[in-house]
Amino acid sequence: MQRFFRSFLVVIMLVLAACGDAAQQPTSTNQTSGPVVGANDLLISITYSPEKTKWLEERIATFNNQNVQSNGKRVIVEGKELSSGTARTQIRAGQLQTTIWTPSASTWLEVLKKESNNPNIAEADPQSLVLTPVVISMWKPMAEAMGYPGKEVGWSDMLALIQDAEGWGKFGQQDWGRFSWGHTDPDISTTALSTVLAELYAANGKTSDLTVEDINQEKSQQFLRDLAQGIKHYGSNTLVFSQNMQKYGMAYISAFPMEEITLIDFNKQAPNVPLVAIYPKEGTFIHDNPFIVMSDATADQKAAASVFYDFLLTAESQNLAMQQGFRPANVDVALASPLTAQFGVDPNQPRNSLATPPADVIVAAKNAWANNRKPANIMLVVDSSGSMRDDDKMDQAKLGVEVFLNRLPSKDNVGMIGFSSSPAVLVPLATRSENMANLQMQTQGLVPDGNTSLYDAIDLARQELENLKQPDRINAIVVLSDGADTASQLSIEQMLGNFGESSIQIFPIAYGADAETSILQQIADFSRTELVQGSTGDIDKIFENLSRYF
């Protein structure tokens, strides 16, 4: 089974690698405090992905205190946390020297071999340390309404509920509204790409032999479009959704695909309503973690690495990993808490696995998702009040808006409102491709001056979106401001009250180190979104990440 999932992830990682290093290089890095190494000690190093940090930091400290010997020398392990894509890039560039590398998936090694043109860069056949499957997380009462745990639930059940005009009222739960879910970007997320492939398998009633022809059929394209109608918004990473689910509960979304370990961690926080893992009846995939010994390690280091691996595969070590929510790679270690119903998971699942598609099918699936994702109507609301003169805020904001516009799909409708002492529609809503030149011109023409009519500007954006009468799209207001309202005719209570039961979402950006965040946070909480805080040094990155919400 591990070989199967490893081959699947090889294809995925090669596809994602083709999307460019920028999508694969998160910045997480943390060097553990260096151990004391004696003259006769043997030092080895291990670089690990962030999800294993808590487990490995404790295991390394314990190992170093046990005076473990290899070839007559005491072995000392030095650990470093580094995101998988960054580690791969640094190894390839010769910037990272490590005895052992354990990324989130063993397929990162295959990517490294391909990119470095060095098939022997590491020892052959690395073994897994831990495993975790991909699941659809769902609030327990909602899952129970759909028949969980007695009935297996899958994509077809989700689609039927999305299309039902009664929504959760079908199950006597009118207060829950319509079924909604979230989705990360398969251009940068292995879990998201696994999800898209699972959807396409389900559309074709297959568990293997998915083809490009299958994907290009109208029924497959329509299946993706129909599922997308339930999307609340997209996102750049799982953390955003998990945090919002913690904060807003069942009122936020009904379901979200994530790794099982993430669901367990969520439930460990003792939320008011727990999540449960839905293992789609049509099938799912598993992500693994490998123990890779690099070829340039000395013979003594390789022998010491083997000793350390044996330590990590002991029942004690595997049970400690399991406490974090991982499944043990040691088959002799029985599954136990938290891999139990108490934390929302089923240790007997997944029962159905999906066959690995070839690379051309993976590319076709990613393209099909891009072409059939839920389109958006987005009104940009940009603060051009006098305080935006400070610290080069206005010029940097213009750069950020440019990044945002370039990242949006051409079929999305985009408009712009500028506001200082009063708001004005600078660019009416139309497709990005139609509006792009005007949006760029109006952005560059913004001049900071006057007061701040934040509430009136947001209300004007609401009116513009409501006038379109397009509930089948994501309708969103993206607000960039550095200060509290000083000039609106409306109060914040009146402005928010005007939204009523509207599905329009507001995404506020508090801009600048001196930004007044309390009002913008109140607006984000009302809309059940996230307040993003940016500065002149990172506003372009903020806008790039925010563009992945649509």
PDB file of all heavy atoms in Angstrom, residues 179-194:
ATOM      1  N   PHE A 179     -25.825  23.626   2.021  1.00  0.00           N
ATOM      2  CA  PHE A 179     -24.543  22.941   2.179  1.00  0.00           C
ATOM      3  C   PHE A 179     -23.449  23.783   1.525  1.00  0.00           C
ATOM      4  O   PHE A 179     -23.593  24.242   0.390  1.00  0.00           O
ATOM      5  CB  PHE A 179     -24.597  21.564   1.532  1.00  0.00           C
ATOM      6  CG  PHE A 179     -23.314  20.772   1.673  1.00  0.00           C
ATOM      7  CD1 PHE A 179     -23.155  19.883   2.721  1.00  0.00           C
ATOM      8  CD2 PHE A 179     -22.267  20.929   0.780  1.00  0.00           C
ATOM      9  CE1 PHE A 179     -21.984  19.155   2.865  1.00  0.00           C
ATOM     10  CE2 PHE A 179     -21.087  20.215   0.919  1.00  0.00           C
ATOM     11  CZ  PHE A 179     -20.955  19.315   1.969  1.00  0.00           C
ATOM     12  N   SER A 180     -22.341  23.993   2.227  1.00  0.00           N
ATOM     13  CA  SER A 180     -21.212  24.738   1.681  1.00  0.00           C
ATOM     14  C   SER A 180     -19.916  24.053   2.075  1.00  0.00           C
ATOM     15  O   SER A 180     -19.843  23.368   3.093  1.00  0.00           O
ATOM     16  CB  SER A 180     -21.224  26.187   2.180  1.00  0.00           C
ATOM     17  OG  SER A 180     -21.030  26.232   3.582  1.00  0.00           O
ATOM     18  N   TRP A 181     -18.902  24.237   1.268  1.00  0.00           N
ATOM     19  CA  TRP A 181     -17.603  23.645   1.578  1.00  0.00           C
ATOM     20  C   TRP A 181     -16.487  24.521   1.040  1.00  0.00           C
ATOM     21  O   TRP A 181     -16.735  25.493   0.324  1.00  0.00           O
ATOM     22  CB  TRP A 181     -17.518  22.212   1.069  1.00  0.00           C
ATOM     23  CG  TRP A 181     -17.582  21.999  -0.436  1.00  0.00           C
ATOM     24  CD1 TRP A 181     -18.595  22.341  -1.279  1.00  0.00           C
ATOM     25  CD2 TRP A 181     -16.585  21.368  -1.252  1.00  0.00           C
ATOM     26  NE1 TRP A 181     -18.307  21.964  -2.563  1.00  0.00           N
ATOM     27  CE2 TRP A 181     -17.086  21.357  -2.589  1.00  0.00           C
ATOM     28  CE3 TRP A 181     -15.346  20.794  -1.003  1.00  0.00           C
ATOM     29  CZ2 TRP A 181     -16.363  20.806  -3.649  1.00  0.00           C
ATOM     30  CZ3 TRP A 181     -14.629  20.249  -2.056  1.00  0.00           C
ATOM     31  CH2 TRP A 181     -15.140  20.244  -3.356  1.00  0.00           C
ATOM     32  N   GLY A 182     -15.262  24.205   1.431  1.00  0.00           N
ATOM     33  CA  GLY A 182     -14.090  24.963   1.013  1.00  0.00           C
ATOM     34  C   GLY A 182     -13.122  24.095   0.246  1.00  0.00           C
ATOM     35  O   GLY A 182     -13.175  22.860   0.313  1.00  0.00           O
ATOM     36  N   HIS A 183     -12.225  24.730  -0.488  1.00  0.00           N
ATOM     37  CA  HIS A 183     -11.302  23.995  -1.367  1.00  0.00           C
ATOM     38  C   HIS A 183     -10.018  24.796  -1.497  1.00  0.00           C
ATOM     39  O   HIS A 183     -10.061  25.998  -1.784  1.00  0.00           O
ATOM     40  CB  HIS A 183     -11.950  23.838  -2.740  1.00  0.00           C
ATOM     41  CG  HIS A 183     -11.428  22.710  -3.574  1.00  0.00           C
ATOM     42  ND1 HIS A 183     -10.101  22.548  -3.883  1.00  0.00           N
ATOM     43  CD2 HIS A 183     -12.079  21.687  -4.181  1.00  0.00           C
ATOM     44  CE1 HIS A 183      -9.954  21.468  -4.652  1.00  0.00           C
ATOM     45  NE2 HIS A 183     -11.142  20.930  -4.844  1.00  0.00           N
ATOM     46  N   THR A 184      -8.875  24.161  -1.265  1.00  0.00           N
ATOM     47  CA  THR A 184      -7.594  24.824  -1.500  1.00  0.00           C
ATOM     48  C   THR A 184      -7.196  24.658  -2.974  1.00  0.00           C
ATOM     49  O   THR A 184      -7.907  24.041  -3.768  1.00  0.00           O
ATOM     50  CB  THR A 184      -6.506  24.255  -0.577  1.00  0.00           C
ATOM     51  OG1 THR A 184      -6.576  22.828  -0.579  1.00  0.00           O
ATOM     52  CG2 THR A 184      -6.689  24.767   0.838  1.00  0.00           C
ATOM     53  N   ASP A 185      -6.069  25.216  -3.335  1.00  0.00           N
ATOM     54  CA  ASP A 185      -5.640  25.348  -4.728  1.00  0.00           C
ATOM     55  C   ASP A 185      -4.767  24.162  -5.141  1.00  0.00           C
ATOM     56  O   ASP A 185      -3.686  23.962  -4.593  1.00  0.00           O
ATOM     57  CB  ASP A 185      -4.850  26.655  -4.867  1.00  0.00           C
ATOM     58  CG  ASP A 185      -4.511  26.992  -6.299  1.00  0.00           C
ATOM     59  OD1 ASP A 185      -4.577  26.105  -7.173  1.00  0.00           O
ATOM     60  OD2 ASP A 185      -4.170  28.162  -6.561  1.00  0.00           O
ATOM     61  N   PRO A 186      -5.198  23.343  -6.127  1.00  0.00           N
ATOM     62  CA  PRO A 186      -4.387  22.193  -6.534  1.00  0.00           C
ATOM     63  C   PRO A 186      -3.093  22.565  -7.230  1.00  0.00           C
ATOM     64  O   PRO A 186      -2.251  21.697  -7.458  1.00  0.00           O
ATOM     65  CB  PRO A 186      -5.323  21.416  -7.472  1.00  0.00           C
ATOM     66  CG  PRO A 186      -6.298  22.419  -7.962  1.00  0.00           C
ATOM     67  CD  PRO A 186      -6.479  23.395  -6.837  1.00  0.00           C
ATOM     68  N   ASP A 187      -2.904  23.831  -7.560  1.00  0.00           N
ATOM     69  CA  ASP A 187      -1.611  24.249  -8.110  1.00  0.00           C
ATOM     70  C   ASP A 187      -0.516  24.178  -7.051  1.00  0.00           C
ATOM     71  O   ASP A 187       0.666  24.045  -7.383  1.00  0.00           O
ATOM     72  CB  ASP A 187      -1.689  25.677  -8.640  1.00  0.00           C
ATOM     73  CG  ASP A 187      -2.122  25.732 -10.090  1.00  0.00           C
ATOM     74  OD1 ASP A 187      -1.953  24.722 -10.792  1.00  0.00           O
ATOM     75  OD2 ASP A 187      -2.633  26.777 -10.519  1.00  0.00           O
ATOM     76  N   ILE A 188      -0.897  24.290  -5.757  1.00  0.00           N
ATOM     77  CA  ILE A 188       0.114  24.316  -4.705  1.00  0.00           C
ATOM     78  C   ILE A 188      -0.156  23.296  -3.601  1.00  0.00           C
ATOM     79  O   ILE A 188       0.677  23.131  -2.719  1.00  0.00           O
ATOM     80  CB  ILE A 188       0.229  25.715  -4.074  1.00  0.00           C
ATOM     81  CG1 ILE A 188      -1.111  26.173  -3.502  1.00  0.00           C
ATOM     82  CG2 ILE A 188       0.734  26.726  -5.098  1.00  0.00           C
ATOM     83  CD1 ILE A 188      -1.030  27.476  -2.736  1.00  0.00           C
ATOM     84  N   SER A 189      -1.290  22.623  -3.641  1.00  0.00           N
ATOM     85  CA  SER A 189      -1.667  21.719  -2.553  1.00  0.00           C
ATOM     86  C   SER A 189      -1.851  20.303  -3.057  1.00  0.00           C
ATOM     87  O   SER A 189      -2.699  20.037  -3.919  1.00  0.00           O
ATOM     88  CB  SER A 189      -2.971  22.204  -1.895  1.00  0.00           C
ATOM     89  OG  SER A 189      -3.525  21.206  -1.063  1.00  0.00           O
ATOM     90  N   THR A 190      -1.070  19.372  -2.503  1.00  0.00           N
ATOM     91  CA  THR A 190      -1.222  17.963  -2.854  1.00  0.00           C
ATOM     92  C   THR A 190      -2.595  17.459  -2.434  1.00  0.00           C
ATOM     93  O   THR A 190      -3.248  16.714  -3.163  1.00  0.00           O
ATOM     94  CB  THR A 190      -0.126  17.125  -2.176  1.00  0.00           C
ATOM     95  OG1 THR A 190       1.146  17.641  -2.548  1.00  0.00           O
ATOM     96  CG2 THR A 190      -0.213  15.668  -2.583  1.00  0.00           C
ATOM     97  N   THR A 191      -3.064  17.872  -1.261  1.00  0.00           N
ATOM     98  CA  THR A 191      -4.392  17.458  -0.794  1.00  0.00           C
ATOM     99  C   THR A 191      -5.470  17.943  -1.746  1.00  0.00           C
ATOM    100  O   THR A 191      -6.417  17.208  -2.061  1.00  0.00           O
ATOM    101  CB  THR A 191      -4.650  17.990   0.623  1.00  0.00           C
ATOM    102  OG1 THR A 191      -3.693  17.436   1.516  1.00  0.00           O
ATOM    103  CG2 THR A 191      -6.049  17.627   1.101  1.00  0.00           C
ATOM    104  N   ALA A 192      -5.364  19.174  -2.217  1.00  0.00           N
ATOM    105  CA  ALA A 192      -6.356  19.705  -3.146  1.00  0.00           C
ATOM    106  C   ALA A 192      -6.348  18.946  -4.465  1.00  0.00           C
ATOM    107  O   ALA A 192      -7.407  18.652  -5.034  1.00  0.00           O
ATOM    108  CB  ALA A 192      -6.101  21.189  -3.394  1.00  0.00           C
ATOM    109  N   LEU A 193      -5.165  18.621  -4.967  1.00  0.00           N
ATOM    110  CA  LEU A 193      -5.087  17.882  -6.222  1.00  0.00           C
ATOM    111  C   LEU A 193      -5.646  16.472  -6.051  1.00  0.00           C
ATOM    112  O   LEU A 193      -6.341  15.949  -6.926  1.00  0.00           O
ATOM    113  CB  LEU A 193      -3.642  17.841  -6.724  1.00  0.00           C
ATOM    114  CG  LEU A 193      -3.429  17.292  -8.137  1.00  0.00           C
ATOM    115  CD1 LEU A 193      -4.313  18.002  -9.149  1.00  0.00           C
ATOM    116  CD2 LEU A 193      -1.964  17.416  -8.522  1.00  0.00           C
ATOM    117  N   SER A 194      -5.369  15.854  -4.899  1.00  0.00           N
ATOM    118  CA  SER A 194      -5.958  14.554  -4.594  1.00  0.00           C
ATOM    119  C   SER A 194      -7.481  14.651  -4.600  1.00  0.00           C
ATOM    120  O   SER A 194      -8.181  13.751  -5.079  1.00  0.00           O
ATOM    121  CB  SER A 194      -5.488  14.055  -3.219  1.00  0.00           C
ATOM    122  OG  SER A 194      -4.091  13.919  -3.169  1.00  0.00           O
TER     123      SER A 194
END
